[in-house]
Amino acid sequence: MAAITLIEGVTLALARALEEDPGVIVLGEDVGVNGGVFRATAGLQQRFGEQRVLDTPLAEVMIAGMSVGMAAQGLKPVAEAQFCGFTMPMVDHLMCHAGRMRNRTRGRLSCPMVLRFPTGGGIHAPEHHSESPEALFAHMPGIRVVMPSSPGRAYGLLLAAIRDPDPVVFMEPKRIYRWQKEEVEDNGEELPLDVCFTLRDGSDITLVTWGAMIKETLQAADQLESEGVSVELIDVATLSPLDMETILESVSRTGRCVIIQEAPRHCGVAGEIAAGLADAGIWNLLAPVKRVCGYDTVMPLYRNELNYMPSVRRIVDAAHQVLEVS
Amino acid sequence: MARTVAAFKVDYFQFLNPDGQLIEGQQLPALARDFERLVTMYRQMVRTRVFDKKAIALQRTGKLGTYASCLGHEASHVAIGSAMRPEDCFAPMYREYGVQFCRGVTLTDVLLYWGGDERGSDYAHAPHDFAWSVPIATQCLHAAGAALAYKLRNEPRVAVSVVGDGGSSKGDFLEAINAGSAWKLPLVLVIVNNQWAISVPRSRQNTAATLAQKGIAGGLPSIQVDGNDLIACLWAMEKAIEAARKGHGSFVVEMLTYRISDHTTADDARRYRPNEEVEEAWAKEPVARLRSYLMDQGAWDEGQEQALLAECTAEVQQAADEYLDIVTNDPQPVTTMFDFMFAELPHDLAEQRAQAEHYQDTGGQH
Ligand SMILES: Cc1ncc(C[n+]2csc(CCOP(=O)(O)OP(=O)(O)O)c2C)c(N)n1
Ligand SMILES: [Mg+2]
């Protein structure tokens, strides 16, 4: 069993899925010979051939639309968009077709496709390469939205996404593609979709986040622990549908919650979680729920990107505010 | 029996062969003998190339972010920029510095943009041109919209956009052709076909014999030229732009060239293309080609060449110094994230702006 990175977890899951299901087709721009611009599909075309791992013409609408068609006719397309910014023209097919296929044909047709792509900032990438559009996808009925934050969860959740009978948007936090290594056994075991993962148990405050913000949130948790605060840390992992039960249960014990997201605050997933707490968790709350988010601005070019993204200090300050309320 | 209801052909134009000799036996444009003009173009091509080399060096030494090189595209780009008038409008993709320098975009602008500073897109000397369009092919429709604006207002202006061989597979490009045809827009769409879309070769986009014929399918006159032959590129662009200006509608020009560099500095082309192909491309590249023509004709000499290189090197160094000085000594405050979002800052953003200002020193302390 080897220690692998998050992106290697993606590659391992893709290989496993290609191996076990002849209907799985990996497609996208530069995914074949080049193995993907981040190397997520490295070696897959050599191993599984050009019929299974397809370099497409440069056309996102085509990739999304054809994935819908392939999925409805018995294949399992696992499409890659090269960067989050280039998924925008794909929204048409996701919103108007993929998420509705099962419903509008009363179950006669379905759309078991996966659209995976790197998301988020912090790697000095050019314009349109660093956004966090998860809320856009989470707003679409009929579509699951998943974001792993560790090598093991990348492997297990991607396998689950590919095997799932419905469309899944699988967002890969590229800033932590190579952050940590973890031993991951290639045993074909999937992790459950639609549940949060509690990464740390604690009793004073619940920090809720997902994707690459796990990194800063862990650092903030360490800092708070060193001050004697007991932190519970939850990785949401599946953003739609949302496992409020795990979050509510945690907050029923801690009474305090800070939600951290890299995406802009307005109409984001953090707001949805806060609404869930206001609805069913209000009597357990000892303090207002705080959100630490990206600003409601265009994602700046790289010189300012770290000023845009929530920092450890912003998270710790928000936690202090919440802890101060007695 | 079927009768032919429509038939098409695509003409290919080349006036200078790869050795820099005029190809006789065809009608040559007057331009081929306009050495003063050609020397001006040549100077711009060399300037662009010297700049490109410096930008890559800055990236390699950690002073610039990811950069998309224009090596090998100099004839195509300079021809497009030179054929346009200042009041025309250019909608670029991301590597057409040769066009942009002709339009007044500065070397420093380009460095600022790839250096992660928003001020790079604030072109002081190309006030109505669009900024770089990283989402492939979207710029084609902006150019079509600009062309419609000029047409509706009866202004003798032309919108020009560039798309790659990869980008020509996107609907945006085909929709721009269609719009140009539907409204007879003053629009020129240039396909800079450099044979590669990152790792995907031209042959993988489709099996059409030319990309120009996509224009014909949409009803536009469309031609193909040798994109490494400045004379052919400039001749084609001048014809297309002037016809568009006179109200004859839109045109498609496909320029055949080659992306000699990696796709960007983040790419390693050795992973997917043979080196022999790149060597072949060097034998056809545009700068040496025009230089040998000009030298053969006595319009250029080695002394002038050395002087030009020295001049360009100095200018480029000055731009690099200026860029580094700006980002070091006059960095954008964090608040500029907010200040250009709307004409007037909405109240919720004002609050966030204050917060960002408060936290700005933690930027980087992640
Ligand atoms: C809509 C969109 N999809 C994908 C990308 C990522 N990408 C950047 S450049 C490129 C290839 C472009 O090839 P081509 O159009 O031939 O232009 P070239 O870079 O060769 O000049 C790709 C896929 C993008 N920028 N925009
Ligand atoms: Mg190309």
Side-chain angles (χ1 to χ4, degrees), chain A residues 29-30 37 58-60 81-83 85-87 89 127-129, chain B residues 68-69 73 77 93-96 133-138 163-170 192-200 205 259 263-264:
Chain A
E29 294 157 10
D30 305 286
V37 293
L58 203 172
E60 281 73 15
Q82 207 160 77
F83 284 93
F86 312 134
T87 59
E127 201 177 358
H128 304 286
H129 289 62
Chain B
S69 162
H73 304 70
H77 291 171
M93 38 194 278
Y94 39 78
R95 62 168 105 248
E96 295 75 39
S133 184
V134 172
I136 300 283
T138 48
V163 74
D165 43 306
S168 74
S169 292
K170 269 193 85 194
V192 177
N193 175 355
N194 62 11
Q195 313 303 327
W196 290 92
I198 311 187
S199 73
V200 180
Q205 295 297 335
R259 194 197 81 211
H263 169 67
T264 65

Side-chain angles (χ1 to χ4, degrees), chain A residues 10 114-117 146 148 154 157-158 161 168-172:
Chain A
V10 168
V114 174
L115 173 64
R116 41 168 297 274
F117 54 90
V146 179
L157 291 172
L158 182 52
V168 180
V169 167
F170 191 84
M171 300 175 65
E172 301 169 5

